[in-house]
Amino acid sequence: MPADAVPASTQANTNKGVIVAGKLRKDAGLMGLLFAGVGGMIGSGWLLGPLNAARDAGPLSIGSWAIAALVIMLLALVYAELAPMFPRSGGVVHISHVSHGVQLGHFWTWILFLAYVTIPPVEAMAVVNYANNYIPGLVHTSGLLTGFGFLTSVVLLAIMVGFNFLAIRLVLAINTVATWFKLLTPIGTIFIFLFLAHHSANLSATSLNVATSGVVHHVNSTGMFTAISSAGVFFALFGFRQAIDLAGETDNPGRNLPIAVLGTIIIGAAVFILLQYAFVTAIPHDILAKNGWGGLTFTGISGPFAGLAVILGASWWATILYADAIVSPGVCGFIWSTSGSRIIMAGGESETMPRAVAWVNDNGTPWMALIVVYIIGVLFFLPLPSWQKMVSYASAATVLSYGIGPIVLLKMRQALPESELRSFRLPAPYIMAPLAFIAANFVVFWAGFATDNFMFLLLLGVFIVFAIYFTVFKKGETGGINWQSLGWLFPYFGGMYLLSYLGPKSMGGIGLLGVYVDMAIIVVFSIAIMWLALKVSVSPESALAYYENEVLADQPAG
């Protein structure tokens, strides 16, 4: 253990039986949290997502961003109520323990872990993608990393994680400065593209059926939905989680968290929808006529906004975009490493993970958790060696990990109907919470069967290890697996897997169900699963006992 892991001036604190050297500092103010969210949102998604979305859905890709923003807002409203009630860093880990007990909380922590650790490597790959325009040989024409690209991504990831060894005040200060540049660059891109080229015909119905060499290339609403998960649309928008993950490091969570969460969504959604509009209407007709939306390509396609800027005669702006292609994903990966380390640290606090990952150095940094973020991030480069492949997985895994929020919200309304910590109350919770859960399951479905197959088989492997651990090594303490609290996951995950498999061929399924029929079934299925999850949840008294004894007690000192 490094010498600075146990500060000379600070005795080790005991938090739920976990020895934690040092303590987290409450240095994150409202602006720091807001810019952490915006900084986590404006990364590689806006640099690469609009091209992939346009290829999938043509002008309907503008609708992809609007639908994704609505989904994110539903989830954000749920967590705007929950976040101030769980004022701990890595709060989503503690949220997952409340409704169904410790064992489900342990398993859900691993779901969160498998979602969070993929984001920093995604951002590292985005830098490499843009850099391939001036350092050839980093990325194959298929979009997969070359050997040189892999090594470069590994080094970039080390830099992103390494900066997090600074104190949280410096981490957020660096992010705030960089976020101003990150925010102004896409806004400038919107104005420049709209000024230089605005082909309104690209938005017309006829542009959905572009004929090239006598062949009609058709895009439809299915592409609009699949783009949300697979093109990076949803991925770009879920930066709202940053404020939640830093909840234990702000001195006024009741005021700061809802404002930061909702403010992040509003800013990000406005920027991204306008960016997609500017991108779609700026594409010259002769380029679109060559291969249609699905085959959209031009020189510099590894960096679509920069390449299009050159075509439009704005080479000077392309230079700025290439610079931003380092800053935006770099800082985004940097701040996601911050959040990921807090999730892992919370896993150590709850003893889901080894206690050592909760160690905090004298800068208030969970240094061991950061090492885990780096090692696992490098490993994810191997099965998912392209930006789009990893983005599709990250989108599905992340929304799945947050799907428990609506369930916990309703459980907390039963257990603690009135609370001073509930600074924001979700209106019409018994309508809004199910809508958020349905929307989350839509995103999992839209990811396509290839992604869902990988994700659910990975989770099955995790559960097998989890079950062996509790059955063999923890049976004396816990009595083995608590099937009542965990059993609802089998019809939930199994049902989503089956519906994805039966879905349209364009989404990787066998084509037995059309996209709208499948979505209609998911609506009914989601309501049934939510009812089942609440039916087998712990009693309101047990939920309240855990909340008071584990969440509110023994908060790290400020």
Side-chain angles (χ1 to χ4, degrees):
M1 182 170 63
D4 67 349
V6 182
S9 61
T10 306
Q11 252 186 339
N13 301 317
T14 303
N15 189 2
K16 302 303 168 201
V18 182
I19 302 300
V20 182
K23 59 188 179 183
L24 293 171
R25 300 176 178 180
K26 294 185 179 294
D27 290 337
L30 173 59
M31 292 305 295
L33 292 175
L34 179 62
F35 275 82
V38 176
M41 186 172 283
I42 301 180
S44 62
W46 87 268
L47 290 164
L48 298 171
L51 170 66
N52 294 321
R55 283 173 166 171
D56 285 348
L60 295 178
S61 57
I62 300 169
S64 300
W65 291 94
I67 294 170
L70 177 61
V71 171
I72 285 288
M73 184 58 77
L74 285 170
L75 287 170
L77 287 170
V78 168
Y79 282 92
E81 174 171 323
L82 288 176
M85 300 185 71
F86 292 80
R88 302 181 68 132
S89 288
V92 287
V93 168
H94 301 286
I95 285 172
S96 62
H97 284 70
V98 169
S99 61
H100 291 79
V102 173
Q103 286 192 11
L104 182 124
H106 286 335
F107 182 65
W108 215 268
T109 299
W110 286 103
I111 295 177
L112 288 162
F113 170 75
L114 292 171
Y116 271 73
V117 294
T118 58
I119 313 300
V122 166
E123 303 301 342
M125 283 196 287
V127 176
V128 169
N129 266 269
Y130 258 78
N132 191 63
N133 287 286
Y134 47 87
I135 307 176
L138 293 170
V139 180
H140 292 294
T141 54
S142 62
L144 301 179
L145 294 174
T146 64
F148 179 42
F150 171 78
L151 292 175
T152 304
S153 298
V154 167
V155 172
L156 287 172
L157 182 60
I159 295 171
M160 292 175 184
V161 174
F163 270 105
N164 274 278
F165 282 84
L166 300 171
I168 188 63
R169 180 190 289 113
L170 291 175
V171 168
L172 293 180
I174 292 170
N175 178 70
T176 297
V177 172
T179 297
W180 277 111
F181 177 70
K182 291 171 59 179
L183 189 57
L184 291 174
T185 304
I187 291 174
T189 301
I190 293 168
F191 282 105
I192 289 170
F193 276 31
L194 290 177
F195 176 76
L196 293 177
H198 184 263
H199 306 292
S200 58
N202 290 356
L203 301 172
S204 67
T206 55
S207 76
L208 297 176
N209 303 282
V210 179
T212 59
S213 302
V215 179
V216 175
H217 300 266
H218 181 69
V219 295
N220 55 35
S221 57
T222 300
M224 180 174 67
F225 293 127
T226 57
I228 292 172
S229 293
S230 63
V233 173
F234 185 82
F235 169 82
L237 283 163
F238 54 57
F240 79 91
R241 306 184 316 175
Q242 309 302 327
I244 297 169
D245 298 330
L246 297 173
E249 291 156 85
T250 184
D251 59 356
N252 191 351
R255 176 183 72 99
N256 294 344
L257 292 177
I259 295 174
V261 167
L262 299 179
T264 296
I265 297 294
I266 293 168
I267 293 170
V271 170
F272 290 135
I273 291 171
L274 289 172
L275 266 171
Q276 188 70 43
Y277 177 85
F279 182 81
V280 167
T281 57
I283 297 171
H285 181 71
D286 60 330
I287 292 178
L288 186 58
K290 287 181 181 178
N291 298 300
W293 291 107
L296 185 62
T297 185
F298 45 82
T299 303
I301 201 70
S302 294
F305 274 104
L308 191 52
V310 171
I311 292 171
L312 298 178
S315 298
W316 58 277
W317 190 250
T319 302
I320 294 175
L321 288 169
Y322 280 127
D324 184 75
I326 297 174
V327 175
S328 282
V331 175
C332 191
F334 162 65
I335 202 68
W336 273 103
S337 299
T338 307
S339 291
S341 67
R342 269 58 180 183
I343 292 297
I344 294 169
M345 182 189 73
E349 289 178 344
S350 64
E351 300 187 47
T352 301
M353 297 179 180
R355 297 181 179 185
V357 299
W359 284 338
V360 179
N361 67 15
D362 57 358
N363 280 333
T365 301
W367 63 274
M368 183 65 79
L370 284 168
I371 292 174
V372 174
V373 168
Y374 177 70
I375 293 173
I376 303 302
V378 169
L379 293 177
F380 262 98
F381 284 130
L382 301 176
L384 303 168
S386 76
W387 184 85
Q388 196 164 359
K389 285 179 181 291
M390 196 175 288
V391 157
S392 187
Y393 164 79
S395 297
T398 298
V399 76
L400 184 72
S401 72
Y402 266 60
I404 199 169
I407 297 169
V408 176
L409 183 143
L410 295 182
K411 175 56 65 174
M412 290 300 293
R413 286 294 184 98
Q414 296 173 3
L416 198 64
E418 301 296 334
S419 171
E420 293 180 357
L421 292 176
R422 191 182 277 117
S423 56
F424 171 83
R425 294 182 68 89
L426 179 71
Y430 288 92
I431 296 175
M432 298 292 286
L435 285 176
F437 188 62
I438 291 167
N441 289 331
F442 278 163
V443 176
V444 173
F445 169 63
W446 294 334
F449 181 68
T451 297
D452 289 341
N453 183 53
F454 175 82
M455 179 180 67
F456 284 120
L457 288 179
L458 179 62
L459 290 178
L460 178 61
V462 170
F463 185 81
I464 290 171
V465 174
F466 175 86
I468 292 172
Y469 175 73
F470 272 94
T471 302
V472 177
F473 299 102
K474 286 283 187 177
K475 187 172 184 179
E477 300 176 28
T478 65
I481 291 290
N482 183 346
W483 292 108
Q484 180 175 340
S485 68
L486 294 169
W488 66 279
L489 295 180
F490 289 95
Y492 177 29
F493 292 171
M496 288 302 302
Y497 182 92
L498 180 63
L499 288 170
S500 180
Y501 173 72
L502 297 176
K505 291 183 179 180
S506 59
M507 298 172 68
I510 62 173
L512 187 62
L513 298 175
V515 62
Y516 292 109
V517 173
D518 219 329
M519 288 169 61
I521 295 173
I522 287 173
V523 170
V524 178
F525 173 77
S526 298
I527 294 172
I529 290 296
M530 197 169 194
W531 174 85
L532 177 62
L534 288 168
K535 184 75 173 176
V536 301
S537 64
V538 301
S539 68
E541 294 76 18
S542 296
L544 181 59
Y546 178 89
Y547 178 69
E548 291 178 339
N549 295 329
E550 302 292 333
V551 175
L552 298 184
D554 295 336
Q555 289 291 294

